[in-house]
Each structure stands twice: as C-alpha cells, then as structure tokens.
Amino acid sequence: MVIVTSQKITQEEWDFLCKKLEDWGFQLNVIQGVEKKVIGAVGDKRRVDFQFLESIPGVEKVIPILSPYKLAAKDARPEGTLIEVGDLKLGKGYFGVIAGPCAVESEDQIFKVAEGIKKAGAKGLRGGAFKPRTSPYSFQGLEEEGLRLLSRARTQSGLPIVTELMNLTELEIVTEYTDIIQIGARNMQNFGLLRAVGRQPKPVLLKRGLAATIEEWLMAAEYIMAEGNPSVILCERGIRTFETATRNTLDLSAIPLVKSRCHLPVVVDPSHGTGKRKLVLPMAKAAVMAGADGLLIEVHPDPANAWSDGEQSLNLPEFQDLMEQIKVLVQLEGKKM
Ligand code: PEP
Ligand code: MN
C-alpha cells in the first residue's frame, strides 16, 4: 500500500508512523517528494486496520494496492472458476439456469415445477424449505418435510437442488439433503454461518446482502473460501435503495465489476431483484448481456395462489418463453448452456 503523509508531519509523528508499520512487518520505501513524503509499504496488509492507519497524526491518505480478499480475487485464478453439479455448469464459458418456487408447498407443486422447468432447459431446481420471512406470522416453510419433497423431486427429475440454510442448527439436515446450499441476503454477513458452510464440501450460492457493498460481498465469499471450500457462486439479487417502485434495485453493473475483480461465477436473481413478474424477463435478458454466468428464477405452477412471492413468480409457459429468449443471447455471448 501507499501512504501519503501530510505536508505538516512532525519528526515525532513520522517516527511513530514508521515504527508502527515496521512492527506490523512492513518493509518501507520512502519517496521524498517536493512537498510531501510518501511511503511505499510492502507486506501483508490483511492485519492492518485502514481506518486506524488513516487516523494516525501526519497521515493524509492510505491507498491499498491489492484487494483485501485473496482467494476470491481475480488474480488467484484469472481463467475463472467452473462450478459443476450434475448437468448444472456455471462459469468459465458455461451458463446455467436454476428455477423453482420461492417455497416448497406440496409434492404436487414441486413435482410439477421440476418437470416443467427441466423441459424448458433449466439445470437446477430451487425451493425454500426454511424461509426468511419479514413477518413471523407469514408461512415459514415446510422445513424438513420441504427438504424431503425437494429430494424426491431431484430423484424424479434428475435436477440438482438448491435450498437456503438459515441457521447453524439446521446445517446438518440441510447439507444432508441439498446439492447447493443457499445463503440468503439476510445472512450474507452471518460470519459464523459462512465459516460453517466453508468447512463442508458442497457448493454455496451466496446472495448479495440487502445493503452490502461489492467489497463486503466478496469478503463474505472469502470467509467461506478461507475455511477450505472453493465452490462459491455469487448471486446478485438487488439492493435496497430509495426506490420503492421495485422491491429492490437490481444492480446489473455489479456483474461486469465483480467479474473483473473475482474469478467466481456470478448468477442473477431478477425475481427478488425486481419483485415484479413483468420485469423478470427484461432483466434476465439484460443480465445475460452484462456477462452473468447464470440465472435464478422463481417459477410457480399457479403464481396467483403461491404461498410466498407469487407476484414475482413466472408460471411455466412464461418460464419456457424466457428460456427460449435467453438461449439466443447466451449463444451470442459465446457461452454454452
Ligand atoms: C429466496 O431466494 O427465496 C430469498 C429469500 O432470497 P433473498 O435472500 O435474496 O431475499
Ligand atoms: Mn422468494
């Protein structure tokens, strides 16, 4: 990192700063400018608190050179990462679609969806069994029964399943049933949960937090990877802004930005990203063109009677239409589906 010192730094402040940096293990290269001194500090800055460093008297500015995430950084694997579960392939030139209801409601519902989305070309089945609901009075998911139904839908359809893990107490049961563990937006910075999924081998779909910066999101991925699990799929699902016309503001610029800084596959969830059925198709198309590696789409056989998120769910014919439209775009992007 580069430390720019103030014009008025005293000898005492300078000595304190240099001693602090050396204690942290940095090698110092001092550049004497006309008005200011600049320090090129070489070493592992992961142990350093930037806010603290900038608060040291005499310090004007601290400029990091490397990203604070190491394992998730693009430089760690410039060729990109492919995550493969059954026929679902995400990243490194592969595009995959995961679809299914917000929540598993019944055997009939999940079987119908699984069959329909498979026919349309989806390679993964999503469905919530433990649901993070804003109100404690809303439907909370079928819990273990939901997991069992998902698992039967997998046997029947051959599609790998994705379901959310909300609490550490459910880690064992959820990992036993699912193929990919979803960490929801509300848990993106639940560091204990991130560490726990990092210590097991199944891939993790990590949703961006409701108000998380891209750096915080990538640091959350780093938590999982630092525990030994390299299989993290990032999912942009919209962030909270002042806009109320949509449920969230889908940050499509995050796709190329994250892909320039990180080697992990990025999928987009235009269902939660917009909260509006009519916006799902245009945003899915835009996501493909912005460089996404996949999509996560809520699909329900009868959205008008869904137990959760019906307003943003597509029915099966709508999903089939979406798949037909995006296939062309995926090809245009030079990716395989
Ligand atoms: C979901 O995928 O059903 C969900 C609750 O998503 P998020 O965590 O992005 O709100
Ligand atoms: Mn939902």
Side-chain angles (χ1 to χ4, degrees), residues 3-304:
I3 298 152
V4 181
T5 61
S6 115
Q7 218 170 326
K8 296 188 203 105
I9 190 167
T10 64
Q11 189 59 45
E12 206 178 305
E13 287 167 348
W14 173 262
D15 292 343
F16 176 82
L17 174 65
C18 292
K19 167 100 179 33
K20 205 82 201 146
L21 290 167
E22 278 164 359
D23 286 350
W24 279 331
F26 285 99
Q27 214 182 56
L28 309 188
N29 301 286
V30 179
I31 305 151
Q32 176 73 63
V34 182
E35 289 176 351
K36 294 175 184 182
K37 276 198 278 195
V38 171
I39 305 172
V42 183
D44 186 354
K45 70 172 170 49
R46 276 179 292 185
R47 289 171 46 214
V48 178
D49 183 330
F50 276 80
Q51 253 81 23
F52 177 72
L53 203 52
E54 275 195 331
S55 76
I56 294 178
V59 173
E60 193 175 280
K61 200 159 57 175
V62 180
I63 307 156
I65 305 289
L66 290 174
S67 58
Y69 37 89
K70 304 283 168 205
L71 303 168
K74 183 88 178 167
D75 289 343
R77 207 187 275 171
E79 72 279 15
T81 292
L82 168 69
I83 295 188
E84 213 175 332
V85 187
D87 288 341
L88 175 69
K89 291 185 185 173
L90 303 165
K92 235 178 155 177
Y94 285 94
F95 190 94
V97 179
I98 301 164
C102 180
V104 182
E105 296 168 8
S106 66
E107 182 176 276
D108 182 54
Q109 174 233 26
I110 196 71
F111 276 34
K112 256 189 201 147
V113 174
E115 195 194 340
I117 61 158
K118 187 179 178 173
K119 217 181 273 169
K123 297 286 159 63
L125 174 66
R126 63 146 289 153
F130 294 92
K131 293 302 303 175
R133 303 306 301 279
T134 302
S135 165
Y137 308 116
S138 303
F139 172 58
Q140 304 285 309
L142 293 181
E143 305 189 339
E144 197 174 340
E145 175 59 10
L147 295 175
R148 276 194 289 269
L149 293 177
L150 274 172
S151 159
R152 281 164 56 193
R154 167 183 44 207
T155 309
Q156 183 233 29
S157 67
L159 295 172
I161 57 180
V162 183
T163 199
E164 179 165 353
L165 169 69
M166 287 213 304
N167 299 295
L168 270 176
T169 45
E170 291 131 18
L171 177 75
E172 215 169 299
I173 181 116
V174 171
T175 42
E176 186 192 317
Y177 282 102
T178 198
D179 298 298
I180 297 175
I181 302 170
Q182 176 170 323
I183 296 293
R186 290 153 196 82
N187 269 320
M188 191 207 81
Q189 281 189 318
N190 183 336
F191 301 119
L193 200 59
L194 298 178
R195 284 211 155 102
V197 295
R199 286 189 222 107
Q200 61 75 52
K202 293 195 172 166
V204 178
L205 185 136
L206 177 65
K207 288 201 153 192
R208 181 177 181 181
L210 276 81
T213 64
I214 284 171
E215 186 165 304
E216 286 163 344
W217 187 21
L218 297 181
M219 289 307 281
E222 187 81 6
Y223 258 91
I224 299 168
M225 299 174 87
E227 292 297 325
N229 186 350
S231 306
V232 180
I233 303 152
L234 297 165
C235 178
E236 163 61 41
R237 48 77 72 206
I239 47 174
R240 186 61 69 84
T241 68
F242 57 82
E243 183 56 72
T244 54
T246 46
R247 181 177 180 177
N248 290 291
T249 297
L250 186 63
D251 181 9
L252 290 178
S253 66
I255 308 163
L257 194 83
V258 166
K259 290 194 72 72
S260 72
R261 293 183 183 178
C262 172
H263 58 81
L264 298 169
V266 179
V267 305
V268 172
D269 172 355
S271 308
H272 293 89
T274 64
K276 287 188 153 59
R277 183 177 311 123
K278 277 197 178 139
L279 301 184
V280 172
L281 173 65
M283 289 298 100
K285 285 157 74 179
V288 177
M289 297 319 284
D293 300 297
L295 293 167
L296 187 76
I297 309 277
E298 281 190 341
V299 179
H300 194 284
D302 180 15

Side-chain angles (χ1 to χ4, degrees), residues 310-330:
E311 64 285 0
Q312 66 191 33
S313 299
L314 303 185
N315 63 24
L316 285 162
E318 285 163 344
F319 178 68
Q320 202 171 352
D321 178 44
L322 177 143
M323 289 299 282
E324 269 157 31
Q325 295 204 39
I326 64 152
K327 261 175 206 160
V328 186
L329 303 179
V330 170

